[in-house]
């Protein structure tokens, strides 16, 4: 059974169809890269998966459980959405850390709130886990720093630790390095590459073609809200079948 199964997903904004019949699946421990030009619907797709947008059609299943079915309002109850969101972690292009909290607090906040609401974990344990995650991100000595005291690459690694702290089934990245200088890009890509080596299930929207090719087990090329081509990264990126994919990739190899 696939960890994630998306079928016939569609999304309109007003009269514009932004996602058209999007279907794909993802296996446990695999990384999926999504590539495509600006406006092709990549962010909208991630937002639908994270229950930040409601698709107009289609289904989303995680580990065989239908989390969303456009035809079944029971799957769209507001009261259930928060819980369903926990299946996914989302790391944004712009980090979105809370400026008034330290790196460690950013990582532990959601788990502390959960523990307060539902009981369970002790604060010390949550903090120890948070420090451990920051250490994995190469940030052991930055735990008490505030976001404004961190570089962009460091902030993004805190954001990754924060997403991991909730143990999502699937970790989603929306252009995690596009706000960063090339140097800082490298350190964030290294962290994501390590996560892939540890078999973290991930969806990565990226413009880093070499990274998509080398790290992903599967690539999807989107254009105009459609999946134009999908398959293993070497086939799609080195030997695209579709003209539109070739045109898109040509822009990355021209210079
Ligand atoms: N909330 C919204 N209301 C109306 N239109 C929207 C909304 N969000 C996105 N769109 C439109 O949907 C289309 C897809 O946008 P989306 O952000 O998903 O593209 P993208 O592939 O992530 O692009 P980029 O590479 O620039 O981030 C665009 O035409 C965009 O203008
Ligand atoms: Mg986007």
């Amino acid at each position: 059974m696939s960890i994630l199964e998306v079928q016939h997903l569609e999304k309109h904004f007003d009269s514009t169809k932004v996602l058209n019949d999007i279907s794909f699946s993802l296996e446990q421990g695999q990384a999926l890269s999504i590539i495509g030009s600006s406006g092709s619907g990549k962010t909208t797709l991630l937002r639908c998966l994270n229950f930040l947008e409601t698709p107009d059609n289609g289904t989303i299943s995680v580990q065989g459980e239908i989390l969303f079915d456009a035809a079944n309002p029971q799957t769209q109850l507001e009261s259930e959405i928060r819980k369903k969101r926990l299946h996914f972690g989302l790391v944004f292009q712009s980090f979105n850390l809370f400026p008034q909290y330290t790196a460690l607090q950013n990582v532990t906040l959601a788990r502390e709130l959960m523990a307060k609401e539902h009981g369970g974990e002790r604060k010390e344990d949550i903090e120890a886990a948070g420090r451990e995650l920051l250490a994995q991100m190469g940030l052991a000595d930055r735990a008490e720093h505030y976001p404004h005291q961190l570089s962009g690459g460091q902030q993004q690694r805190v954001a990754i630790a924060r997403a991991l702290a909730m143990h999502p089934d699937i970790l989603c990245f929306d252009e995690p390095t596009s706000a960063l200088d090339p140097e800082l890009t490298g350190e964030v890509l290294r962290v994501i590459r390590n996560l892939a080596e540890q078999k973290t299930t991930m969806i990565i929207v990226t413009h880093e073609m070499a990274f998509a090719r080398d790290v992903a087990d599967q690539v999807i090329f989107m254009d105009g809200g459609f999946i134009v081509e999908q398959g293993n990264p070497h086939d799609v990126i080195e030997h695209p079948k579709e003209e539109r994919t070739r045109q898109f990739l040509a822009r990355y190899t021209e210079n």
Side-chain angles (χ1 to χ4, degrees):
M1 189 203 331
S2 304
I3 190 161
L4 174 66
E5 186 91 38
V6 173
Q7 284 185 324
H8 309 300
L9 217 60
E10 297 195 357
K11 176 70 185 168
H12 297 78
F13 287 118
D14 306 318
S15 58
T16 316
K17 212 170 191 186
V18 174
L19 295 179
N20 282 281
D21 197 18
I22 299 292
S23 298
F24 65 91
S25 59
L26 182 61
E27 305 308 312
Q28 173 97 44
Q30 295 217 322
L32 162 68
S33 283
I34 303 180
I35 58 175
S37 50
S38 184
S40 56
K42 306 179 301 294
T43 295
T44 305
L45 175 56
L46 286 190
R47 288 177 57 82
C48 286
L49 295 177
N50 284 270
F51 298 93
L52 300 171
E53 301 284 358
T54 310
D56 302 309
N57 264 310
T59 60
I60 301 169
S61 307
V62 172
Q63 277 165 341
E65 182 196 351
I66 298 177
L67 295 188
F68 176 87
D69 180 352
N72 179 0
Q74 284 297 318
T75 65
Q76 298 165 42
L77 295 174
E78 200 53 43
S79 55
E80 301 288 309
I81 294 291
R82 266 181 72 196
K83 208 165 67 203
K84 293 181 182 182
R85 247 182 219 142
L86 293 175
H87 290 285
F88 295 89
L90 183 53
V91 175
F92 301 91
Q93 174 178 351
S94 51
F95 329 137
N96 294 10
L97 296 177
F98 298 111
Q100 72 276 34
Y101 294 122
T102 63
L104 181 62
Q105 288 167 334
N106 266 280
V107 173
T108 57
L109 185 69
R111 259 169 83 171
E112 280 175 8
L113 286 175
M114 288 239 293
K116 229 182 237 167
E117 265 181 48
H118 307 291
E121 287 183 302
R122 295 182 312 160
K123 192 173 162 62
E124 306 89 271
D125 295 336
I126 296 173
E127 261 190 39
R131 283 185 194 280
E132 171 72 35
L133 275 171
L134 285 173
Q136 275 175 36
M137 298 294 127
L139 294 170
D141 56 345
R142 293 289 185 277
E144 325 300 338
H145 285 55
Y146 288 86
H148 76 271
Q149 300 170 316
L150 299 170
S151 73
Q154 291 169 338
Q155 289 183 54
Q156 189 60 305
R157 286 182 283 147
V158 174
I160 295 170
R162 178 176 62 176
L164 286 169
M166 300 304 286
H167 301 299
D169 293 318
I170 300 151
L171 185 57
C172 304
F173 294 90
D174 192 358
E175 299 191 30
T177 60
S178 58
L180 300 174
D181 296 341
E183 250 171 280
L184 301 181
T185 293
E187 67 188 35
V188 171
L189 292 183
R190 253 192 310 281
V191 160
I192 301 175
R193 196 183 290 267
N194 281 341
L195 291 174
E197 278 161 13
Q198 293 160 30
K199 301 288 170 208
T200 308
T201 311
M202 298 188 285
I203 301 178
I204 310 159
V205 170
T206 183
H207 288 291
E208 304 280 339
M209 293 306 136
F211 180 75
R213 184 195 57 211
D214 298 343
V215 169
D217 301 287
Q218 197 191 149
V219 170
I220 284 178
F221 168 62
M222 286 180 69
D223 191 38
F226 288 91
I227 293 179
V228 173
E229 194 158 346
Q230 63 178 307
N232 99 43
H234 285 275
D235 293 345
V236 174
I237 294 179
E238 306 294 340
H239 308 286
K241 288 198 193 69
E242 301 294 329
E243 185 53 31
R244 274 192 287 176
T245 318
R246 272 197 282 273
Q247 282 169 2
F248 171 77
L249 290 167
R251 277 186 256 152
Y252 288 87
T253 47
E254 260 158 17
N255 40 29

